[in-house]
Amino acid sequence: MAASAESTPNFIRINHRDAQSFATALLTASGVSPKNAQITASGLVQADLRGVESHGILRLPSYLSRVRNGVLDPAAEPTLTQITPVVAQVDGRNGFGFPAAHLGMSTAIEMARVFGIGMVSVKHSNHFGMSAWIVKQAVEADMMSLVFTNSSPALPVWGGKEKLMGVSPIACGAPGGKKEGSKPFILDMAPSVAARGKIYKALRRGEKIPTDWALDGEGKQTDDPAKALEGVMLPMGGPKGSALAIMMDVFSGVLSGSAFAGGVTGPYDMSKPGDVGHFLVAIKPDLFMSLDEFRERMDVLYQKVVNSEKMHGVDRIYFPGEIEQLNEEQRLKDGIPYAKEEIDALNQEAEKLGVDKIPLTE
């Protein structure tokens, strides 16, 4: 769907550096420190580069609205408490989720370098965008990782009909092999049929959604994103998706001391702080063999997966995260496509803050 949308005339391509500079300027003008603004803007633009526009810079209007409504502290600096040599906790202090998550994974990586594994629980945080950017942070440090978070209620437990669990992504990763064409393993998926951010994106773009994504307020299937947002998301695999959403709440919410059991406030809700929890783990991949041997084994796995016999109608098999990496490679060259309406919404934020509008690629 993204590929066909990008070819339509009302899409405008923006250079990724310009997108990041623009996002950074909006954030600093809103009271975020230059360092934290860079971290946040980078996480958002990485999502756009990977084709996950639902978690890209188009999140900024809702984030900044939360700042203006006093329910997100732009100047907050996350703090770190070392619990044991391999366990730490970050307090996000109701600031942007990106700096809290970045500090958490950086700390987990440093512990793993020394002790083989590092675990960080993050409390009192906010939405941190696409989980894959944190997985990439670990992969680029030659680390395996787990990245969990909880989120605001959008999903019923299996057998229920009320919003209780979040559409909380499950993410993990591992460095890839060294052979040409080999890709790292990066899994980032929601326990629902589709991420809720995709429904917001469809709403912004005036698009319909597949009828198996969500139910409306009356419990009926719908292709209308506005009606879907009045109802509930549907878990993937029925009770399996529901159980995975509960798992995210246990590890991210219950364990951290953050909100849980439907208590997280979403990024589009201006009523109170998010109080999101995260759970981050970094693992040194050369604990049981050399890093070179680990990478060779990842090469074998990659080749086995992508060269599997294809079912009828399938042209190519991809490794988890590979499609997104190919998107990134293309968009680094060609720019990131945004709908005109999305550019207009971003420029409205710029006008409010006295920041230059986003530069358009000629």
Side-chain angles (χ1 to χ4, degrees):
M1 185 165 69
S4 61
E6 290 173 19
S7 63
T8 58
N10 65 330
F11 275 72
I12 301 163
R13 291 188 177 272
I14 305 295
N15 180 279
H16 69 282
R17 295 186 187 87
D18 291 337
Q20 178 147 343
S21 296
F22 174 78
T24 301
L26 286 184
L27 289 161
T28 52
S30 300
V32 183
S33 72
K35 176 184 176 182
N36 289 344
Q38 286 280 358
I39 291 169
T40 302
S42 174
L44 292 169
V45 172
Q46 285 185 64
D48 284 333
L49 283 169
R50 290 174 69 83
V52 190
E53 299 95 340
S54 57
H55 289 64
I57 65 171
L58 298 168
R59 288 277 183 160
L60 283 170
S62 68
Y63 290 168
L64 299 181
S65 181
R66 284 177 58 77
V67 170
R68 287 191 290 271
N69 279 274
V71 294
L72 192 160
D73 182 359
E77 287 288 343
T79 57
L80 178 72
T81 302
Q82 197 73 37
I83 308 298
T84 78
V86 295
V87 177
Q89 184 165 57
V90 169
D91 185 341
R93 302 177 62 219
N94 192 36
F96 278 85
F98 297 79
H102 186 272
L103 173 61
M105 182 53 77
S106 296
T107 303
I109 289 168
E110 290 309 308
M111 292 188 291
R113 288 193 200 282
V114 178
F115 300 103
I117 190 167
M119 186 192 93
V120 178
S121 177
V122 183
K123 65 180 179 179
H124 309 325
S125 186
N126 279 285
H127 191 260
F128 63 29
M130 171 191 74
S131 297
W133 76 267
I134 308 164
V135 175
K136 282 181 63 184
Q137 183 184 347
V139 165
E140 289 166 3
D142 288 333
M143 292 284 172
M144 303 172 73
S145 64
L146 299 174
V147 176
F148 296 170
T149 186
N150 65 356
S151 56
S152 57
L155 195 76
V157 295
W158 184 244
K161 66 176 185 178
E162 65 173 313
K163 295 179 183 179
L164 182 62
M165 292 295 108
V167 180
S168 307
I170 304 153
C172 58
K178 288 187 173 181
K179 291 183 180 177
E180 185 177 352
S182 198
K183 299 289 190 287
F185 170 73
I186 298 179
L187 173 68
D188 180 359
M189 67 179 194
S192 55
V193 176
R196 187 167 42 169
K198 291 185 177 180
I199 294 183
Y200 280 105
K201 183 178 79 169
L203 181 65
R204 286 195 306 269
R205 294 184 174 183
E207 299 170 350
K208 298 292 187 182
I209 60 171
T211 56
D212 62 348
W213 280 14
L215 303 179
D216 64 18
E218 297 179 355
K220 298 175 183 177
Q221 288 188 327
T222 181
D223 63 0
D224 184 336
K227 290 183 178 179
L229 291 169
E230 295 171 0
V232 295
M233 304 294 296
L234 289 173
M236 66 175 184
K240 297 177 183 179
S242 173
L244 288 172
I246 295 170
M247 182 183 84
M248 294 297 99
D249 216 24
V250 171
F251 280 82
S252 303
V254 176
L255 178 65
S256 70
S258 297
F260 67 104
V264 172
T265 305
Y268 297 96
D269 184 341
M270 306 300 150
S271 64
K272 62 184 190 295
D275 201 17
V276 182
H278 318 309
F279 176 80
L280 312 173
V281 177
I283 304 166
K284 203 164 180 278
D286 54 351
L287 293 173
F288 313 112
M289 63 192 74
S290 69
L291 182 58
D292 283 344
E293 185 179 354
F294 176 86
R295 287 186 175 279
E296 288 171 5
R297 292 167 68 85
M298 288 298 293
D299 268 324
V300 171
L301 177 61
Y302 174 80
Q303 294 298 331
K304 286 281 189 179
V305 169
V306 301
N307 293 313
S308 296
E309 291 188 26
K310 302 173 185 67
M311 66 183 290
H312 179 72
V314 172
D315 295 324
R316 178 175 176 179
I317 295 172
Y318 295 91
F319 208 53
E322 185 172 10
I323 292 175
E324 292 80 5
Q325 186 165 336
L326 293 172
N327 282 338
E328 182 173 353
E329 291 168 2
Q330 191 67 40
R331 291 179 177 197
L332 283 171
K333 292 187 295 184
D334 298 339
I336 301 168
Y338 299 103
K340 181 182 181 301
E341 296 78 9
E342 294 167 342
I343 295 292
D344 291 344
L346 289 168
N347 283 334
Q348 286 175 13
E349 294 297 324
E351 288 177 6
K352 291 175 187 175
L353 294 165
V355 170
D356 290 340
K357 293 183 177 181
I358 192 166
L360 303 183
T361 303
E362 296 296 333

